[in-house]
Amino acid sequence: MQAIRILSVVVAGLACAPVFAQNAGKKKPARPTPPANQVKGQQQLAGVNGRFGTVYTLKSGFNYAILGAKYTMEPLPAYSVLYVGRDEKLFVVQVAIKNSNPDDTPFDGSQHRLTIVDADNRTYTGYDYLLQSQPSVSFFPNVRPGQGYGQGTDLLQVGVKIPAKARIVKIMLDQGRKGRNEEVVRYYLAGATKAEAGEDGDPANKVTPLPAEFRAEGDSTGSLVASPLKARIGAFVPSGAFALRLDGVTYSTTETYNGAAPEEGKRYLIATVTARYIGTGENQMYYVISTGEQAKLVDATGEDSTFVGVRKAMRDEDPEKTFKPGDTYAFRVFFSLPKDATGKTLSLSAGDGPLFDFDLSDSK
């Protein structure tokens, strides 16, 4: 996962004792989903303009700072894992908290909800906080006085799924400052205009852009996902809970699929693919590639080729694999096409993750 760049300025007041372990053995009661914060058609809530890296003492008694934000195509392995689907990306906010109350205080994400606003005034809600060192545990700690989370390398993050073409212009923390007649802290993001966000963006509130290989051509904001997404043979790309790598393609008139050679006048294009599991828990091969929705081939004449199925890397057998985090597994994907045809573009996705196009022009 690509880490968010933490601001170089040391945030005063946030230094704290090392993070104490959560009690993973005890299940916390399920929290109700808070209602979406309405930002249209009502008077603006009283609040202060926030800046990344600045500490605000909230009515809850927690010191709170947003340290940064980013766009990403990687999954966020939280208690409720966020996977990027087709025509989606993630917006991830990095925060730091510290209990300034004199007593132990539970930190409840639903009381520190983030409302994310895009340039078209659509809103997205984030309240599931993730501590990077404990991705499979719901973050609902009882925090002792003076202790906190999110400093150093153990990141505390909130992620939301947003459309591939959305550009975020504002973040609203749905908590006001302690001792003030306020209800929210608003962060106007760098590059936003008054017409888009209500006020011009603060240059200090800069969002880390998408990696260049996933970015739409000509997009100066770094927020828009390319369409189509393109990938290089031999390079891993994230798709759903997996990263996929096209290792190469071959053509054959003698190779068999389930015991059958290609039909008369046909040949197989065989793509060798490696999947790496980038999610949490366990997952199955079925959720990598199992239908023609996850593997498409267009030949040099622009015609769609027939998806035949998936086999083991070295045997004419159904691939079988139970993935644990970090596991890799190679397999073959078969297509049928005319004997004199060559592949032009192979598109692959894991499950309903983003579809990536591989150029096969040099593969004969």
Side-chain angles (χ1 to χ4, degrees), residues 213 226-233 237 246 296-298 344-349 354-360:
E213 61 267 31
S227 181
L229 279 161
K230 297 182 179 181
R232 294 181 293 103
I233 296 176
V237 288
L246 176 61
K296 304 175 186 289
L297 176 67
V298 176
K344 179 181 180 182
T345 304
L346 175 61
S347 303
L348 298 174
S349 72
L355 198 68
F356 284 86
D357 287 356
F358 296 85
D359 184 3
L360 304 183

mmCIF file with all atom_site columns, all heavy atoms in Angstrom, residues 213 226-233 237 246 296-298 344-349 354-360:
data_model
loop_
_atom_site.group_PDB
_atom_site.id
_atom_site.type_symbol
_atom_site.label_atom_id
_atom_site.label_alt_id
_atom_site.label_comp_id
_atom_site.label_asym_id
_atom_site.label_entity_id
_atom_site.label_seq_id
_atom_site.pdbx_PDB_ins_code
_atom_site.Cartn_x
_atom_site.Cartn_y
_atom_site.Cartn_z
_atom_site.occupancy
_atom_site.B_iso_or_equiv
_atom_site.pdbx_formal_charge
_atom_site.auth_seq_id
_atom_site.auth_comp_id
_atom_site.auth_asym_id
_atom_site.auth_atom_id
_atom_site.pdbx_PDB_model_num
ATOM 1   N N   . GLU A 1 213 ? 0.992   5.934   -13.667 1.00 0.00 ? 213 GLU A N   1
ATOM 2   C CA  . GLU A 1 213 ? 0.550   4.881   -14.582 1.00 0.00 ? 213 GLU A CA  1
ATOM 3   C C   . GLU A 1 213 ? -0.962  4.668   -14.562 1.00 0.00 ? 213 GLU A C   1
ATOM 4   O O   . GLU A 1 213 ? -1.517  4.041   -15.463 1.00 0.00 ? 213 GLU A O   1
ATOM 5   C CB  . GLU A 1 213 ? 1.260   3.560   -14.280 1.00 0.00 ? 213 GLU A CB  1
ATOM 6   C CG  . GLU A 1 213 ? 1.025   3.006   -12.900 1.00 0.00 ? 213 GLU A CG  1
ATOM 7   C CD  . GLU A 1 213 ? 2.080   3.424   -11.894 1.00 0.00 ? 213 GLU A CD  1
ATOM 8   O OE1 . GLU A 1 213 ? 2.632   4.525   -12.041 1.00 0.00 ? 213 GLU A OE1 1
ATOM 9   O OE2 . GLU A 1 213 ? 2.333   2.634   -10.961 1.00 0.00 ? 213 GLU A OE2 1
ATOM 10  N N   . ALA A 1 226 ? -7.374  6.820   -15.574 1.00 0.00 ? 226 ALA A N   1
ATOM 11  C CA  . ALA A 1 226 ? -7.339  6.645   -17.024 1.00 0.00 ? 226 ALA A CA  1
ATOM 12  C C   . ALA A 1 226 ? -8.429  5.685   -17.480 1.00 0.00 ? 226 ALA A C   1
ATOM 13  O O   . ALA A 1 226 ? -8.812  4.762   -16.764 1.00 0.00 ? 226 ALA A O   1
ATOM 14  C CB  . ALA A 1 226 ? -5.974  6.114   -17.448 1.00 0.00 ? 226 ALA A CB  1
ATOM 15  N N   . SER A 1 227 ? -8.932  5.927   -18.672 1.00 0.00 ? 227 SER A N   1
ATOM 16  C CA  . SER A 1 227 ? -9.924  5.041   -19.283 1.00 0.00 ? 227 SER A CA  1
ATOM 17  C C   . SER A 1 227 ? -9.602  4.914   -20.770 1.00 0.00 ? 227 SER A C   1
ATOM 18  O O   . SER A 1 227 ? -9.723  5.887   -21.521 1.00 0.00 ? 227 SER A O   1
ATOM 19  C CB  . SER A 1 227 ? -11.344 5.593   -19.091 1.00 0.00 ? 227 SER A CB  1
ATOM 20  O OG  . SER A 1 227 ? -12.297 4.727   -19.647 1.00 0.00 ? 227 SER A OG  1
ATOM 21  N N   . PRO A 1 228 ? -9.157  3.728   -21.218 1.00 0.00 ? 228 PRO A N   1
ATOM 22  C CA  . PRO A 1 228 ? -8.960  2.518   -20.416 1.00 0.00 ? 228 PRO A CA  1
ATOM 23  C C   . PRO A 1 228 ? -7.681  2.579   -19.600 1.00 0.00 ? 228 PRO A C   1
ATOM 24  O O   . PRO A 1 228 ? -6.768  3.352   -19.903 1.00 0.00 ? 228 PRO A O   1
ATOM 25  C CB  . PRO A 1 228 ? -8.872  1.424   -21.480 1.00 0.00 ? 228 PRO A CB  1
ATOM 26  C CG  . PRO A 1 228 ? -8.253  2.119   -22.658 1.00 0.00 ? 228 PRO A CG  1
ATOM 27  C CD  . PRO A 1 228 ? -8.826  3.508   -22.646 1.00 0.00 ? 228 PRO A CD  1
ATOM 28  N N   . LEU A 1 229 ? -7.630  1.745   -18.556 1.00 0.00 ? 229 LEU A N   1
ATOM 29  C CA  . LEU A 1 229 ? -6.407  1.576   -17.792 1.00 0.00 ? 229 LEU A CA  1
ATOM 30  C C   . LEU A 1 229 ? -5.457  0.677   -18.583 1.00 0.00 ? 229 LEU A C   1
ATOM 31  O O   . LEU A 1 229 ? -5.862  -0.365  -19.092 1.00 0.00 ? 229 LEU A O   1
ATOM 32  C CB  . LEU A 1 229 ? -6.712  0.936   -16.439 1.00 0.00 ? 229 LEU A CB  1
ATOM 33  C CG  . LEU A 1 229 ? -7.230  1.875   -15.352 1.00 0.00 ? 229 LEU A CG  1
ATOM 34  C CD1 . LEU A 1 229 ? -7.913  1.071   -14.247 1.00 0.00 ? 229 LEU A CD1 1
ATOM 35  C CD2 . LEU A 1 229 ? -6.098  2.702   -14.770 1.00 0.00 ? 229 LEU A CD2 1
ATOM 36  N N   . LYS A 1 230 ? -4.212  1.073   -18.677 1.00 0.00 ? 230 LYS A N   1
ATOM 37  C CA  . LYS A 1 230 ? -3.239  0.306   -19.443 1.00 0.00 ? 230 LYS A CA  1
ATOM 38  C C   . LYS A 1 230 ? -2.164  -0.256  -18.519 1.00 0.00 ? 230 LYS A C   1
ATOM 39  O O   . LYS A 1 230 ? -1.836  0.333   -17.493 1.00 0.00 ? 230 LYS A O   1
ATOM 40  C CB  . LYS A 1 230 ? -2.615  1.180   -20.534 1.00 0.00 ? 230 LYS A CB  1
ATOM 41  C CG  . LYS A 1 230 ? -3.633  1.657   -21.569 1.00 0.00 ? 230 LYS A CG  1
ATOM 42  C CD  . LYS A 1 230 ? -2.975  2.484   -22.656 1.00 0.00 ? 230 LYS A CD  1
ATOM 43  C CE  . LYS A 1 230 ? -4.011  2.933   -23.682 1.00 0.00 ? 230 LYS A CE  1
ATOM 44  N NZ  . LYS A 1 230 ? -3.406  3.737   -24.777 1.00 0.00 ? 230 LYS A NZ  1
ATOM 45  N N   . ALA A 1 231 ? -1.641  -1.414  -18.910 1.00 0.00 ? 231 ALA A N   1
ATOM 46  C CA  . ALA A 1 231 ? -0.621  -2.077  -18.101 1.00 0.00 ? 231 ALA A CA  1
ATOM 47  C C   . ALA A 1 231 ? 0.453   -2.660  -19.016 1.00 0.00 ? 231 ALA A C   1
ATOM 48  O O   . ALA A 1 231 ? 0.210   -2.928  -20.190 1.00 0.00 ? 231 ALA A O   1
ATOM 49  C CB  . ALA A 1 231 ? -1.247  -3.173  -17.238 1.00 0.00 ? 231 ALA A CB  1
ATOM 50  N N   . ARG A 1 232 ? 1.636   -2.825  -18.453 1.00 0.00 ? 232 ARG A N   1
ATOM 51  C CA  . ARG A 1 232 ? 2.759   -3.406  -19.192 1.00 0.00 ? 232 ARG A CA  1
ATOM 52  C C   . ARG A 1 232 ? 2.880   -4.892  -18.878 1.00 0.00 ? 232 ARG A C   1
ATOM 53  O O   . ARG A 1 232 ? 2.661   -5.331  -17.754 1.00 0.00 ? 232 ARG A O   1
ATOM 54  C CB  . ARG A 1 232 ? 4.072   -2.704  -18.811 1.00 0.00 ? 232 ARG A CB  1
ATOM 55  C CG  . ARG A 1 232 ? 4.170   -1.257  -19.229 1.00 0.00 ? 232 ARG A CG  1
ATOM 56  C CD  . ARG A 1 232 ? 5.515   -0.671  -18.831 1.00 0.00 ? 232 ARG A CD  1
ATOM 57  N NE  . ARG A 1 232 ? 5.692   -0.574  -17.389 1.00 0.00 ? 232 ARG A NE  1
ATOM 58  C CZ  . ARG A 1 232 ? 6.432   -1.390  -16.656 1.00 0.00 ? 232 ARG A CZ  1
ATOM 59  N NH1 . ARG A 1 232 ? 7.088   -2.404  -17.236 1.00 0.00 ? 232 ARG A NH1 1
ATOM 60  N NH2 . ARG A 1 232 ? 6.550   -1.232  -15.356 1.00 0.00 ? 232 ARG A NH2 1
ATOM 61  N N   . ILE A 1 233 ? 3.239   -5.673  -19.885 1.00 0.00 ? 233 ILE A N   1
ATOM 62  C CA  . ILE A 1 233 ? 3.521   -7.086  -19.662 1.00 0.00 ? 233 ILE A CA  1
ATOM 63  C C   . ILE A 1 233 ? 4.692   -7.189  -18.686 1.00 0.00 ? 233 ILE A C   1
ATOM 64  O O   . ILE A 1 233 ? 5.700   -6.506  -18.827 1.00 0.00 ? 233 ILE A O   1
ATOM 65  C CB  . ILE A 1 233 ? 3.850   -7.794  -20.991 1.00 0.00 ? 233 ILE A CB  1
ATOM 66  C CG1 . ILE A 1 233 ? 2.637   -7.769  -21.923 1.00 0.00 ? 233 ILE A CG1 1
ATOM 67  C CG2 . ILE A 1 233 ? 4.317   -9.224  -20.750 1.00 0.00 ? 233 ILE A CG2 1
ATOM 68  C CD1 . ILE A 1 233 ? 2.888   -8.348  -23.297 1.00 0.00 ? 233 ILE A CD1 1
ATOM 69  N N   . VAL A 1 237 ? -0.418  -5.073  -11.485 1.00 0.00 ? 237 VAL A N   1
ATOM 70  C CA  . VAL A 1 237 ? -1.357  -3.961  -11.360 1.00 0.00 ? 237 VAL A CA  1
ATOM 71  C C   . VAL A 1 237 ? -2.462  -4.392  -10.385 1.00 0.00 ? 237 VAL A C   1
ATOM 72  O O   . VAL A 1 237 ? -2.859  -5.550  -10.348 1.00 0.00 ? 237 VAL A O   1
ATOM 73  C CB  . VAL A 1 237 ? -1.984  -3.561  -12.715 1.00 0.00 ? 237 VAL A CB  1
ATOM 74  C CG1 . VAL A 1 237 ? -0.955  -2.870  -13.595 1.00 0.00 ? 237 VAL A CG1 1
ATOM 75  C CG2 . VAL A 1 237 ? -2.590  -4.765  -13.431 1.00 0.00 ? 237 VAL A CG2 1
ATOM 76  N N   . LEU A 1 246 ? 0.581   -10.007 -16.227 1.00 0.00 ? 246 LEU A N   1
ATOM 77  C CA  . LEU A 1 246 ? 0.628   -10.799 -17.447 1.00 0.00 ? 246 LEU A CA  1
ATOM 78  C C   . LEU A 1 246 ? 2.086   -11.129 -17.730 1.00 0.00 ? 246 LEU A C   1
ATOM 79  O O   . LEU A 1 246 ? 2.893   -10.240 -17.983 1.00 0.00 ? 246 LEU A O   1
ATOM 80  C CB  . LEU A 1 246 ? 0.009   -10.036 -18.624 1.00 0.00 ? 246 LEU A CB  1
ATOM 81  C CG  . LEU A 1 246 ? 0.098   -10.727 -19.981 1.00 0.00 ? 246 LEU A CG  1
ATOM 82  C CD1 . LEU A 1 246 ? -0.628  -12.074 -19.964 1.00 0.00 ? 246 LEU A CD1 1
ATOM 83  C CD2 . LEU A 1 246 ? -0.453  -9.827  -21.089 1.00 0.00 ? 246 LEU A CD2 1
ATOM 84  N N   . LYS A 1 296 ? -10.764 -10.638 -21.482 1.00 0.00 ? 296 LYS A N   1
ATOM 85  C CA  . LYS A 1 296 ? -11.289 -10.338 -22.817 1.00 0.00 ? 296 LYS A CA  1
ATOM 86  C C   . LYS A 1 296 ? -10.118 -10.185 -23.778 1.00 0.00 ? 296 LYS A C   1
ATOM 87  O O   . LYS A 1 296 ? -9.072  -9.635  -23.411 1.00 0.00 ? 296 LYS A O   1
ATOM 88  C CB  . LYS A 1 296 ? -12.113 -9.045  -22.796 1.00 0.00 ? 296 LYS A CB  1
ATOM 89  C CG  . LYS A 1 296 ? -13.260 -9.040  -21.788 1.00 0.00 ? 296 LYS A CG  1
ATOM 90  C CD  . LYS A 1 296 ? -13.943 -7.669  -21.744 1.00 0.00 ? 296 LYS A CD  1
ATOM 91  C CE  . LYS A 1 296 ? -14.993 -7.585  -20.642 1.00 0.00 ? 296 LYS A CE  1
ATOM 92  N NZ  . LYS A 1 296 ? -16.175 -8.399  -20.944 1.00 0.00 ? 296 LYS A NZ  1
ATOM 93  N N   . LEU A 1 297 ? -10.316 -10.654 -25.008 1.00 0.00 ? 297 LEU A N   1
ATOM 94  C CA  . LEU A 1 297 ? -9.270  -10.560 -26.021 1.00 0.00 ? 297 LEU A CA  1
ATOM 95  C C   . LEU A 1 297 ? -9.849  -9.986  -27.304 1.00 0.00 ? 297 LEU A C   1
ATOM 96  O O   . LEU A 1 297 ? -10.860 -10.474 -27.807 1.00 0.00 ? 297 LEU A O   1
ATOM 97  C CB  . LEU A 1 297 ? -8.663  -11.945 -26.296 1.00 0.00 ? 297 LEU A CB  1
ATOM 98  C CG  . LEU A 1 297 ? -7.608  -12.004 -27.408 1.00 0.00 ? 297 LEU A CG  1
ATOM 99  C CD1 . LEU A 1 297 ? -6.348  -11.235 -27.012 1.00 0.00 ? 297 LEU A CD1 1
ATOM 100 C CD2 . LEU A 1 297 ? -7.263  -13.461 -27.746 1.00 0.00 ? 297 LEU A CD2 1
ATOM 101 N N   . VAL A 1 298 ? -9.189  -8.969  -27.820 1.00 0.00 ? 298 VAL A N   1
ATOM 102 C CA  . VAL A 1 298 ? -9.533  -8.384  -29.121 1.00 0.00 ? 298 VAL A CA  1
ATOM 103 C C   . VAL A 1 298 ? -8.376  -8.671  -30.069 1.00 0.00 ? 298 VAL A C   1
ATOM 104 O O   . VAL A 1 298 ? -7.206  -8.435  -29.729 1.00 0.00 ? 298 VAL A O   1
ATOM 105 C CB  . VAL A 1 298 ? -9.776  -6.865  -29.006 1.00 0.00 ? 298 VAL A CB  1
ATOM 106 C CG1 . VAL A 1 298 ? -10.027 -6.259  -30.377 1.00 0.00 ? 298 VAL A CG1 1
ATOM 107 C CG2 . VAL A 1 298 ? -10.944 -6.586  -28.063 1.00 0.00 ? 298 VAL A CG2 1
ATOM 108 N N   . LYS A 1 344 ? -4.462  -8.475  -30.216 1.00 0.00 ? 344 LYS A N   1
ATOM 109 C CA  . LYS A 1 344 ? -4.058  -7.074  -30.154 1.00 0.00 ? 344 LYS A CA  1
ATOM 110 C C   . LYS A 1 344 ? -4.098  -6.539  -28.722 1.00 0.00 ? 344 LYS A C   1
ATOM 111 O O   . LYS A 1 344 ? -3.133  -5.956  -28.236 1.00 0.00 ? 344 LYS A O   1
ATOM 112 C CB  . LYS A 1 344 ? -4.945  -6.217  -31.044 1.00 0.00 ? 344 LYS A CB  1
ATOM 113 C CG  . LYS A 1 344 ? -4.585  -4.733  -31.012 1.00 0.00 ? 344 LYS A CG  1
ATOM 114 C CD  . LYS A 1 344 ? -5.520  -3.921  -31.898 1.00 0.00 ? 344 LYS A CD  1
ATOM 115 C CE  . LYS A 1 344 ? -5.154  -2.444  -31.863 1.00 0.00 ? 344 LYS A CE  1
ATOM 116 N NZ  . LYS A 1 344 ? -6.089  -1.625  -32.684 1.00 0.00 ? 344 LYS A NZ  1
ATOM 117 N N   . THR A 1 345 ? -5.230  -6.728  -28.043 1.00 0.00 ? 345 THR A N   1
ATOM 118 C CA  . THR A 1 345 ? -5.397  -6.216  -26.680 1.00 0.00 ? 345 THR A CA  1
ATOM 119 C C   . THR A 1 345 ? -6.005  -7.294  -25.802 1.00 0.00 ? 345 THR A C   1
ATOM 120 O O   . THR A 1 345 ? -7.074  -7.838  -26.111 1.00 0.00 ? 345 THR A O   1
ATOM 121 C CB  . THR A 1 345 ? -6.303  -4.970  -26.650 1.00 0.00 ? 345 THR A CB  1
ATOM 122 O OG1 . THR A 1 345 ? -5.780  -3.968  -27.519 1.00 0.00 ? 345 THR A OG1 1
ATOM 123 C CG2 . THR A 1 345 ? -6.398  -4.406  -25.237 1.00 0.00 ? 345 THR A CG2 1
ATOM 124 N N   . LEU A 1 346 ? -5.322  -7.598  -24.705 1.00 0.00 ? 346 LEU A N   1
ATOM 125 C CA  . LEU A 1 346 ? -5.843  -8.514  -23.700 1.00 0.00 ? 346 LEU A CA  1
ATOM 126 C C   . LEU A 1 346 ? -6.210  -7.704  -22.470 1.00 0.00 ? 346 LEU A C   1
ATOM 127 O O   . LEU A 1 346 ? -5.383  -6.950  -21.940 1.00 0.00 ? 346 LEU A O   1
ATOM 128 C CB  . LEU A 1 346 ? -4.790  -9.566  -23.335 1.00 0.00 ? 346 LEU A CB  1
ATOM 129 C CG  . LEU A 1 346 ? -5.141  -10.528 -22.196 1.00 0.00 ? 346 LEU A CG  1
ATOM 130 C CD1 . LEU A 1 346 ? -6.382  -11.350 -22.532 1.00 0.00 ? 346 LEU A CD1 1
ATOM 131 C CD2 . LEU A 1 346 ? -3.960  -11.440 -21.878 1.00 0.00 ? 346 LEU A CD2 1
ATOM 132 N N   . SER A 1 347 ? -7.463  -7.833  -22.022 1.00 0.00 ? 347 SER A N   1
ATOM 133 C CA  . SER A 1 347 ? -7.945  -7.096  -20.856 1.00 0.00 ? 347 SER A CA  1
ATOM 134 C C   . SER A 1 347 ? -8.190  -8.071  -19.715 1.00 0.00 ? 347 SER A C   1
ATOM 135 O O   . SER A 1 347 ? -8.855  -9.096  -19.893 1.00 0.00 ? 347 SER A O   1
ATOM 136 C CB  . SER A 1 347 ? -9.243  -6.349  -21.179 1.00 0.00 ? 347 SER A CB  1
ATOM 137 O OG  . SER A 1 347 ? -9.056  -5.469  -22.268 1.00 0.00 ? 347 SER A OG  1
ATOM 138 N N   . LEU A 1 348 ? -7.646  -7.737  -18.530 1.00 0.00 ? 348 LEU A N   1
ATOM 139 C CA  . LEU A 1 348 ? -7.750  -8.620  -17.378 1.00 0.00 ? 348 LEU A CA  1
ATOM 140 C C   . LEU A 1 348 ? -8.217  -7.847  -16.153 1.00 0.00 ? 348 LEU A C   1
ATOM 141 O O   . LEU A 1 348 ? -7.842  -6.682  -15.950 1.00 0.00 ? 348 LEU A O   1
ATOM 142 C CB  . LEU A 1 348 ? -6.396  -9.258  -17.059 1.00 0.00 ? 348 LEU A CB  1
ATOM 143 C CG  . LEU A 1 348 ? -5.744  -10.160 -18.112 1.00 0.00 ? 348 LEU A CG  1
ATOM 144 C CD1 . LEU A 1 348 ? -4.352  -10.565 -17.656 1.00 0.00 ? 348 LEU A CD1 1
ATOM 145 C CD2 . LEU A 1 348 ? -6.606  -11.393 -18.376 1.00 0.00 ? 348 LEU A CD2 1
ATOM 146 N N   . SER A 1 349 ? -9.036  -8.507  -15.336 1.00 0.00 ? 349 SER A N   1
ATOM 147 C CA  . SER A 1 349 ? -9.388  -7.970  -14.023 1.00 0.00 ? 349 SER A CA  1
ATOM 148 C C   . SER A 1 349 ? -9.559  -9.128  -13.068 1.00 0.00 ? 349 SER A C   1
ATOM 149 O O   . SER A 1 349 ? -9.837  -10.256 -13.480 1.00 0.00 ? 349 SER A O   1
ATOM 150 C CB  . SER A 1 349 ? -10.679 -7.148  -14.085 1.00 0.00 ? 349 SER A CB  1
ATOM 151 O OG  . SER A 1 349 ? -11.799 -7.981  -14.262 1.00 0.00 ? 349 SER A OG  1
ATOM 152 N N   . PRO A 1 354 ? -10.919 -3.268  -11.270 1.00 0.00 ? 354 PRO A N   1
ATOM 153 C CA  . PRO A 1 354 ? -10.621 -2.533  -12.498 1.00 0.00 ? 354 PRO A CA  1
ATOM 154 C C   . PRO A 1 354 ? -10.060 -3.432  -13.589 1.00 0.00 ? 354 PRO A C   1
ATOM 155 O O   . PRO A 1 354 ? -9.284  -4.353  -13.330 1.00 0.00 ? 354 PRO A O   1
ATOM 156 C CB  . PRO A 1 354 ? -9.582  -1.502  -12.042 1.00 0.00 ? 354 PRO A CB  1
ATOM 157 C CG  . PRO A 1 354 ? -9.835  -1.329  -10.595 1.00 0.00 ? 354 PRO A CG  1
ATOM 158 C CD  . PRO A 1 354 ? -10.256 -2.681  -10.092 1.00 0.00 ? 354 PRO A CD  1
ATOM 159 N N   . LEU A 1 355 ? -10.449 -3.144  -14.829 1.00 0.00 ? 355 LEU A N   1
ATOM 160 C CA  . LEU A 1 355 ? -10.007 -3.889  -16.001 1.00 0.00 ? 355 LEU A CA  1
ATOM 161 C C   . LEU A 1 355 ? -8.799  -3.179  -16.599 1.00 0.00 ? 355 LEU A C   1
ATOM 162 O O   . LEU A 1 355 ? -8.846  -1.975  -16.867 1.00 0.00 ? 355 LEU A O   1
ATOM 163 C CB  . LEU A 1 355 ? -11.143 -3.957  -17.013 1.00 0.00 ? 355 LEU A CB  1
ATOM 164 C CG  . LEU A 1 355 ? -11.091 -4.998  -18.117 1.00 0.00 ? 355 LEU A CG  1
ATOM 165 C CD1 . LEU A 1 355 ? -11.258 -6.403  -17.551 1.00 0.00 ? 355 LEU A CD1 1
ATOM 166 C CD2 . LEU A 1 355 ? -12.194 -4.716  -19.151 1.00 0.00 ? 355 LEU A CD2 1
ATOM 167 N N   . PHE A 1 356 ? -7.720  -3.930  -16.807 1.00 0.00 ? 356 PHE A N   1
ATOM 168 C CA  . PHE A 1 356 ? -6.482  -3.376  -17.359 1.00 0.00 ? 356 PHE A CA  1
ATOM 169 C C   . PHE A 1 356 ? -6.239  -3.949  -18.761 1.00 0.00 ? 356 PHE A C   1
ATOM 170 O O   . PHE A 1 356 ? -6.397  -5.146  -18.979 1.00 0.00 ? 356 PHE A O   1
ATOM 171 C CB  . PHE A 1 356 ? -5.293  -3.688  -16.465 1.00 0.00 ? 356 PHE A CB  1
ATOM 172 C CG  . PHE A 1 356 ? -5.216  -2.848  -15.228 1.00 0.00 ? 356 PHE A CG  1
ATOM 173 C CD1 . PHE A 1 356 ? -5.904  -3.223  -14.084 1.00 0.00 ? 356 PHE A CD1 1
ATOM 174 C CD2 . PHE A 1 356 ? -4.464  -1.677  -15.204 1.00 0.00 ? 356 PHE A CD2 1
ATOM 175 C CE1 . PHE A 1 356 ? -5.850  -2.454  -12.931 1.00 0.00 ? 356 PHE A CE1 1
ATOM 176 C CE2 . PHE A 1 356 ? -4.405  -0.906  -14.063 1.00 0.00 ? 356 PHE A CE2 1
ATOM 177 C CZ  . PHE A 1 356 ? -5.089  -1.286  -12.920 1.00 0.00 ? 356 PHE A CZ  1
ATOM 178 N N   . ASP A 1 357 ? -5.828  -3.086  -19.686 1.00 0.00 ? 357 ASP A N   1
ATOM 179 C CA  . ASP A 1 357 ? -5.529  -3.481  -21.061 1.00 0.00 ? 357 ASP A CA  1
ATOM 180 C C   . ASP A 1 357 ? -4.035  -3.688  -21.252 1.00 0.00 ? 357 ASP A C   1
ATOM 181 O O   . ASP A 1 357 ? -3.220  -2.801  -20.913 1.00 0.00 ? 357 ASP A O   1
ATOM 182 C CB  . ASP A 1 357 ? -5.999  -2.394  -22.046 1.00 0.00 ? 357 ASP A CB  1
ATOM 183 C CG  . ASP A 1 357 ? -7.494  -2.352  -22.192 1.00 0.00 ? 357 ASP A CG  1
ATOM 184 O OD1 . ASP A 1 357 ? -8.197  -3.206  -21.602 1.00 0.00 ? 357 ASP A OD1 1
ATOM 185 O OD2 . ASP A 1 357 ? -7.999  -1.443  -22.907 1.00 0.00 ? 357 ASP A OD2 1
ATOM 186 N N   . PHE A 1 358 ? -3.673  -4.850  -21.792 1.00 0.00 ? 358 PHE A N   1
ATOM 187 C CA  . PHE A 1 358 ? -2.290  -5.163  -22.142 1.00 0.00 ? 358 PHE A CA  1
ATOM 188 C C   . PHE A 1 358 ? -2.148  -5.190  -23.663 1.00 0.00 ? 358 PHE A C   1
ATOM 189 O O   . PHE A 1 358 ? -2.941  -5.851  -24.358 1.00 0.00 ? 358 PHE A O   1
ATOM 190 C CB  . PHE A 1 358 ? -1.889  -6.529  -21.574 1.00 0.00 ? 358 PHE A CB  1
ATOM 191 C CG  . PHE A 1 358 ? -1.888  -6.600  -20.077 1.00 0.00 ? 358 PHE A CG  1
ATOM 192 C CD1 . PHE A 1 358 ? -3.065  -6.868  -19.378 1.00 0.00 ? 358 PHE A CD1 1
ATOM 193 C CD2 . PHE A 1 358 ? -0.709  -6.429  -19.363 1.00 0.00 ? 358 PHE A CD2 1
ATOM 194 C CE1 . PHE A 1 358 ? -3.066  -6.962  -17.995 1.00 0.00 ? 358 PHE A CE1 1
ATOM 195 C CE2 . PHE A 1 358 ? -0.698  -6.506  -17.970 1.00 0.00 ? 358 PHE A CE2 1
ATOM 196 C CZ  . PHE A 1 358 ? -1.875  -6.771  -17.296 1.00 0.00 ? 358 PHE A CZ  1
ATOM 197 N N   . ASP A 1 359 ? -1.169  -4.476  -24.176 1.00 0.00 ? 359 ASP A N   1
ATOM 198 C CA  . ASP A 1 359 ? -0.926  -4.413  -25.605 1.00 0.00 ? 359 ASP A CA  1
ATOM 199 C C   . ASP A 1 359 ? -0.126  -5.638  -26.046 1.00 0.00 ? 359 ASP A C   1
ATOM 200 O O   . ASP A 1 359 ? 0.979   -5.883  -25.565 1.00 0.00 ? 359 ASP A O   1
ATOM 201 C CB  . ASP A 1 359 ? -0.145  -3.129  -25.925 1.00 0.00 ? 359 ASP A CB  1
ATOM 202 C CG  . ASP A 1 359 ? 0.072   -2.921  -27.415 1.00 0.00 ? 359 ASP A CG  1
ATOM 203 O OD1 . ASP A 1 359 ? -0.423  -3.734  -28.212 1.00 0.00 ? 359 ASP A OD1 1
ATOM 204 O OD2 . ASP A 1 359 ? 0.738   -1.925  -27.776 1.00 0.00 ? 359 ASP A OD2 1
ATOM 205 N N   . LEU A 1 360 ? -0.706  -6.415  -26.973 1.00 0.00 ? 360 LEU A N   1
ATOM 206 C CA  . LEU A 1 360 ? -0.065  -7.650  -27.460 1.00 0.00 ? 360 LEU A CA  1
ATOM 207 C C   . LEU A 1 360 ? 0.507   -7.481  -28.855 1.00 0.00 ? 360 LEU A C   1
ATOM 208 O O   . LEU A 1 360 ? 0.820   -8.476  -29.525 1.00 0.00 ? 360 LEU A O   1
ATOM 209 C CB  . LEU A 1 360 ? -1.088  -8.793  -27.479 1.00 0.00 ? 360 LEU A CB  1
ATOM 210 C CG  . LEU A 1 360 ? -1.811  -9.110  -26.171 1.00 0.00 ? 360 LEU A CG  1
ATOM 211 C CD1 . LEU A 1 360 ? -2.723  -10.323 -26.375 1.00 0.00 ? 360 LEU A CD1 1
ATOM 212 C CD2 . LEU A 1 360 ? -0.834  -9.374  -25.032 1.00 0.00 ? 360 LEU A CD2 1
#
